[in-house]
């Protein structure tokens, strides 16, 4: 199967004491192996819910998700869920330890990634001692550490300064492309979506469904906001979100 994932007629409702909330309605899309996909849309539309459903943490109310049984999925949740009682290195190696795959080599790889993302001096620190952006970078290393086929990232760079965000965006896109990995990333940042991803799906509040889909195909130069194609994508996505 060339598609890593296929979502068909997916619906999600939540039942609260007083009402039924419709979160997602008739969502359909496919994800190819090696494809990097961004999900954008207003707050409360159901982006995190959709990632949780894809990860298997939540069940859809209706619809089908087709995915390979032995697909390794790594999920970086929106409000990162680092274990407070484990230091940075132990947090990042937890996934491999659970799978019994932690060894000297993987330890070295994790430490290299932490160094690369500016966390050299925090390897033995605890989550409480880190800033929001540092915690996000640790969560990203943790998500990458298990060498997943599919990476699910929920607003992974929202707390990073602009320059760090560009550097890490560039790096993550390169790593995933080089290894032909796939990703679905939720973001409110249109620039980030265009910089990193091959396709952007816009979710609309009007009908809780997909409003538009953009194939992002141009000569990328991350950080360059003067490129005509970049501006065209940006303006079209912005208009869709606005309207
Ligand atoms: N367990 C739950 N029970 C009831 N309602 C829920 C539950 N989880 C999420 N919701 C509701 O579902 C809707 C979608 O939530 P979700 O977190 O998926 O939105 P989002 O698009 O990720 O928003 P944001 O951009 O603010 O992160 C919201 O109205 C939220 O209140
Ligand atoms: Mg969310």
């Amino acid at each position: 199967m060339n598609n890593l994932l296929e979502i068909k007629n997916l619906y999600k409702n939540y039942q609260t004491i007083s009402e039924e909330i419709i979160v997602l309605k008739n969502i359909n899309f496919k994800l190819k192996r090696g494809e990097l996909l961004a999900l954008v849309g207003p707050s409360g539309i159901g982006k995190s819910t959709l990632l949780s459903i894809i990860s298997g943490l939540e069940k859809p109310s209706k619809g089908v998700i087709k995915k390979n049984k032995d697909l390794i999925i790594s999920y970086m949740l929106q409000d990162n869920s680092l274990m407070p009682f484990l230091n940075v290195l132990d947090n990042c190696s937890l996934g491999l330890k659970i799978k019994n795959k932690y060894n000297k080599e993987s330890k070295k790889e994790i430490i290299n990634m932490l160094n690369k993302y500016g966390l050299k001096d925090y390897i033995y620190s605890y989550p409480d001692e880190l800033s929001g952006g540092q915690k996000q970078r640790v969560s990203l290393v943790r998500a990458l550490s298990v060498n997943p086929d599919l990476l699910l990232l929920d607003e992974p760079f929202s707390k990073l300064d602009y320059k760090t965000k560009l550097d890490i965006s560039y790096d993550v896109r390169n790593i995933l492309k080089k290894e032909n990995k796939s990703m679905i990333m939720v973001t409110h940042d249109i620039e980030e979506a265009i910089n990193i991803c091959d396709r952007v799906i816009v979710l609309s509040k009007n009908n809780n469904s997909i409003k538009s889909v953009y194939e992002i195909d141009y000569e990328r130069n991350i950080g360059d906001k003067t490129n005509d194609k970049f501006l065209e994508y940006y303006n079209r996505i912005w208009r869709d979100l606005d309207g």
Side-chain angles (χ1 to χ4, degrees):
M1 187 171 77
N2 195 26
N3 288 323
L4 204 71
L5 185 80
E6 185 173 352
I7 295 182
K8 279 169 98 171
N9 307 325
L10 183 136
Y11 288 72
K12 181 70 182 176
N13 304 339
Y14 283 115
Q15 185 68 52
T16 66
I17 295 169
S18 55
E19 56 174 351
E20 184 170 46
I21 307 170
I22 298 172
V23 180
L24 296 165
K25 224 162 126 185
N26 199 22
I27 303 293
N28 290 281
F29 66 86
K30 293 174 185 168
L31 182 75
K32 291 195 232 65
R33 187 173 289 281
E35 189 178 23
L36 311 182
L37 177 74
L39 287 176
V40 301
S43 181
I45 189 75
K47 303 178 298 298
S48 298
T49 303
L50 184 53
L51 284 195
S52 293
I53 293 173
I54 294 169
S55 76
L57 279 183
E58 294 231 29
K59 295 265 168 289
S61 305
K62 228 163 77 181
V64 184
I65 301 180
K66 286 191 189 169
K67 58 185 175 195
N68 202 320
K69 264 206 203 96
D70 32 60
L71 191 70
I72 300 175
I73 299 182
S74 210
Y75 182 15
M76 174 177 165
L77 284 99
Q78 181 164 5
D79 42 6
N80 70 64
S81 46
L82 296 174
M83 303 285 180
F85 48 86
L86 295 179
N87 69 31
V88 165
L89 180 60
D90 289 342
N91 258 292
C92 293
S93 47
L94 189 62
L96 287 172
K97 281 179 182 161
I98 289 170
K99 288 170 183 281
N100 240 332
K101 287 185 176 162
Y102 189 59
N103 52 33
K104 264 190 187 155
E105 203 179 308
S106 48
K107 180 177 177 183
K108 211 168 122 194
E109 274 173 27
I110 289 173
I111 290 179
N112 282 344
M113 272 197 276
L114 289 169
N115 286 345
K116 189 165 71 174
Y117 293 147
L119 294 160
K120 188 167 174 251
D121 297 331
Y122 298 92
I123 288 172
Y124 299 103
S125 302
Y126 285 81
D128 269 0
E129 301 165 315
L130 305 178
S131 74
Q134 286 167 336
K135 280 186 217 161
Q136 278 190 332
R137 281 173 279 155
V138 174
S139 301
L140 178 66
V141 172
R142 185 176 61 170
L144 288 168
S145 70
V146 293
N147 197 19
D149 305 306
L150 172 60
L151 193 58
L152 303 175
L153 302 180
D154 198 348
E155 301 191 34
F157 310 131
S158 58
K159 294 184 179 131
L160 301 186
D161 64 84
Y162 184 69
K163 171 78 173 61
T164 308
K165 189 195 292 216
L166 288 186
D167 290 346
I168 294 189
S169 306
Y170 180 76
D171 197 62
V172 166
R173 181 176 163 86
N174 278 346
I175 294 176
L176 298 177
K177 282 290 164 193
K178 201 165 75 194
E179 299 181 9
N180 202 30
K181 304 283 187 195
S182 310
M183 174 182 81
I184 304 178
M185 178 180 80
V186 167
T187 180
H188 285 288
D189 183 334
I190 305 174
E191 180 184 354
E192 183 179 292
I194 301 170
N195 275 341
I196 304 180
C197 294
D198 305 313
R199 192 151 53 110
V200 178
I201 290 183
V202 182
L203 294 166
S204 150
K205 209 159 201 159
N206 293 335
N207 57 0
N208 296 78
S209 195
I210 293 176
K211 173 158 188 170
S212 49
V213 180
Y214 294 95
E215 297 283 343
I216 309 294
D217 184 14
Y218 77 113
E219 196 71 42
R220 273 162 226 269
N221 188 5
I222 292 186
D224 175 11
K225 286 190 256 190
T226 59
N227 182 297
D228 286 345
K229 279 285 239 180
F230 171 87
L231 286 171
E232 191 188 325
Y233 289 129
Y234 192 98
N235 290 327
R236 287 175 71 184
I237 295 168
W238 173 247
R239 228 177 298 142
D240 284 353
L241 284 170
D242 201 30

